[in-house]
C-alpha cells in the first residue's frame, strides 16, 4: 500500500503523484477522480478566485490526471477511469452554479472519453450521487441549499460500492438514489417541470434539514 497526499489544483503535484504511484506499482489500472470543492452560495456572492478554485479542483485536475494516467495503463486487461460527479451535474442547481457546471462538465467528459476508449478495454464512467452523509454537507448544513436535503441521503459505503462496480464493469453511469436520478433527467429535459417542482422540493428539504440538525445535536 502506498499513501500519498497532494494538492490536485497544483498540476506539478498531480504529475509527481501519478509518477510515484506508477513507479511503486509498475503502472496504473484504475483512476478515481473523487476530490471536490464547493464554495457555497449565489454566483454573484463568490469571488473570482473561489470560482477558479472550484473549476481547478472539480474539472481541470480530473482531466489532467486522466491525461497523465492513460499512457501508464497496461496494454491488455481491464482498466478504468471513474469520475465522482453529482446529481447537480445532471440538472442545474441554483445556489451552486459553478459546482453544478463543473460536475456537468465532468459527466460530459466521462461520456465522451468512454466512447473514445471503448475499444481499448478502458471503462470510463461516472457515479452521480445526491447528498452523501459526510462532513462535506453535514458540517455546513446551514450553508447548503435546502433542496439538496430533499433527496434521500446515500452513505459513503454505497458510493464506494458504485465506484468499484463501475471500475469492474462496463456501465457508463450510476445515479444515486435511482429515483433521484430519474428526477434530474426530467428536470433537465423539462425546465418548466424543474422550476415548478422547486418549491415543493425546498419545503421537503427544509423539513429534512431540521431532522439532521436534531440528529447532530
Amino acid at each position: 500500500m502506498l499513501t500519498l497526499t497532494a494538492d490536485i489544483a497544483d498540476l506539478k503535484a498531480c504529475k509527481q503523484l501519478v509518477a510515484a504511484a506508477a513507479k511503486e506499482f509498475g503502472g496504473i489500472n484504475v483512476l478515481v477522480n473523487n476530490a471536490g470543492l464547493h464554495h457555497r452560495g449565489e454566483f454573484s456572492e463568490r469571488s473570482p478566485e473561489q470560482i477558479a478554485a472550484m473549476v481547478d479542483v472539480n474539472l481541470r485536475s480530473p482531466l489532467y490526471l486522466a491525461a497523465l494516467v492513460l499512457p501508464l495503463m497496461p496494454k491488455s486487461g481491464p482498466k478504468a477511469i471513474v469520475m465522482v460527479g453529482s446529481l447537480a451535474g445532471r440538472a442545474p442547481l441554483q445556489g451552486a452554479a459553478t459546482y453544478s457546471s463543473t460536475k456537468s462538465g465532468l459527466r460530459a467528459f466521462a461520456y465522451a472519453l468512454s466512447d473514445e476508449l471503448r475499444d481499448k478495454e478502458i471503462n470510463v464512467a461516472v457515479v452521480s450521487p445526491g447528498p452523501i452523509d459526510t462532513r462535506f454537507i453535514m458540517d455546513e448544513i446551514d450553508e447548503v441549499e435546502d433542496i439538496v436535503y430533499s433527496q434521500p441521503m446515500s452513505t459513503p459505503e454505497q458510493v464506494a460500492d458504485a465506484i468499484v462496480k463501475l471500475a469492474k464493469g462496463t456501465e457508463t453511469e450510476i445515479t444515486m438514489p435511482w429515483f433521484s436520478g430519474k428526477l434530474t433527467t426530467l428536470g433537465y429535459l423539462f425546465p418548466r417541470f424543474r422550476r415548478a417542482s422547486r418549491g415543493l422540493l425546498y419545503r421537503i428539504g427544509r423539513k429534512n434539514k431540521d431532522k439532521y440538525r436534531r440528529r447532530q445535536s
Side-chain angles (χ1 to χ4, degrees):
M1 179 181 291
L2 176 67
T3 301
L4 303 168
T5 60
D7 177 6
I8 66 164
D10 182 343
L11 299 186
K12 181 179 179 181
C14 288
K15 198 168 186 178
Q16 293 171 340
L17 181 70
V18 170
K23 181 179 180 181
E24 177 72 16
F25 300 107
I28 296 176
N29 289 75
V30 178
L31 169 66
V32 179
N33 280 311
N34 181 51
L37 176 64
H38 192 180
H39 293 294
R40 306 182 191 280
E42 300 290 332
F43 183 84
S44 59
E45 298 173 354
R46 302 279 63 82
S47 69
E49 290 76 19
Q50 289 174 323
I51 293 166
M54 282 190 275
V55 173
D56 286 348
V57 172
N58 297 344
L59 186 57
R60 184 183 70 155
S61 291
L63 270 64
Y64 185 67
L65 285 165
L68 289 173
V69 165
L70 279 174
L72 301 174
M73 286 184 157
K75 298 297 182 182
S76 60
K79 302 165 284 287
I81 299 175
V82 182
M83 316 294 175
V84 178
S86 170
L87 292 183
R90 292 174 55 86
L93 181 62
Q94 69 181 73
T98 303
Y99 183 80
S100 183
S101 298
T102 57
K103 291 299 185 179
S104 179
L106 194 63
R107 180 173 181 263
F109 173 67
Y111 271 85
L113 190 61
S114 175
D115 288 343
E116 288 184 20
L117 302 178
R118 193 167 296 279
D119 296 332
K120 297 184 179 181
E121 294 186 280
I122 303 175
N123 190 43
V124 183
V126 56
V127 56
S128 298
I132 307 170
D133 195 359
T134 66
R135 294 176 59 187
F136 188 73
I137 63 171
M138 299 310 290
D139 279 5
E140 300 178 343
I141 192 168
D142 292 326
E143 284 74 41
V144 179
E145 286 284 321
D146 292 344
I147 195 172
V148 172
Y149 298 94
S150 67
Q151 302 304 303
M153 194 87 72
S154 297
T155 67
E157 291 77 16
Q158 288 171 324
V159 178
D161 288 343
I163 291 171
V164 171
K165 183 178 180 180
L166 290 171
K168 290 183 175 181
T170 58
E171 291 180 80
T172 305
E173 183 174 15
I174 293 176
T175 57
M176 304 175 62
W178 177 85
F179 182 72
S180 299
K182 299 303 179 185
L183 280 179
T184 57
T185 299
L186 283 173
Y188 181 78
L189 294 175
F190 305 101
R192 288 185 180 179
F193 168 80
R194 174 171 54 85
R195 296 187 183 103
S197 61
R198 184 178 292 161
L200 173 62
L201 293 176
Y202 264 86
R203 289 194 294 274
I204 294 172
R206 280 192 289 272
K207 289 181 180 179
N208 289 338
K209 248 189 182 182
D210 290 337
K211 295 177 182 178
Y212 292 127
R213 285 194 188 96
R214 289 195 295 271
R215 187 192 73 175
Q216 286 182 306
S217 61

